Amino acid sequence: MSTPERGPVSPPLAVALTTVGFFALVIAAFGVTSLLADAEVVSVPGLGSLPGALAVIVAGVSFAVLTALATRVARPTYRSTIACIVSVFVAYVAGLWLGALITGADLARAGAAVGGFVTSPFFPVLVAATFVCAWTAVALVRTRARRPRWRWEHDEDES
């Protein structure tokens, strides 16, 4: 029994590329959203930057793990992006809550930080960034496309 042919990108490479892309896209998109909405990602004053940074790191690790699991099968499906979105959201919220507690916030302020994120414009930005990167990881592994070639690059026998 033979397995279907994989695309030109190996699953570990696809995971590495899209995880780096995930971090870059989330950070850039949060920055642009912050400027456009004139809002802070972590809206609770006095927490500092640790909760937000920890949340992004935990979400990125979750993204890498779920993407690695999704792309290791012979023919990954795009439905795996849904599990990745849910996992990244839960990981982000957990990292935000834990980061707030580490900075010395009480349970109410940590909960306010999580509630503020869920009701902010940053929540759909996180979902969109996760979807784009997870879909890209699956597409890189699944697609059998090759690089474009000029007519003169083709072998004479292929015509």
Side-chain angles (χ1 to χ4, degrees), residues 13-74:
L13 180 59
V15 171
L17 291 172
T18 56
T19 300
V20 169
F22 172 79
F23 280 114
L25 187 57
V26 166
I27 292 167
F30 277 6
V32 170
T33 304
S34 180
L35 287 173
L36 294 176
D38 195 28
E40 295 291 325
V41 180
V42 180
S43 59
V44 177
L47 291 184
S49 60
L50 178 68
L54 185 61
V56 171
I57 291 168
V58 172
V61 169
S62 174
F63 175 84
V65 169
L66 261 289
T67 305
L69 291 173
T71 58
R72 74 179 183 170
V73 297

Side-chain angles (χ1 to χ4, degrees), residues 91-120:
Y92 185 91
V93 167
L96 184 61
W97 186 76
L98 183 63
L101 291 177
I102 289 172
T103 60
D106 58 2
L107 290 176
R109 289 185 61 203
V114 169
F117 173 77
V118 172
T119 59
S120 74

Side-chain angles (χ1 to χ4, degrees), residues 75-83 131 134-140 142-143:
R75 186 96 169 129
T77 65
Y78 293 105
R79 287 188 306 251
S80 63
T81 59
I82 296 168
F131 172 76
W135 187 90
T136 302
V138 172
L140 284 171
R142 184 179 168 135
T143 304

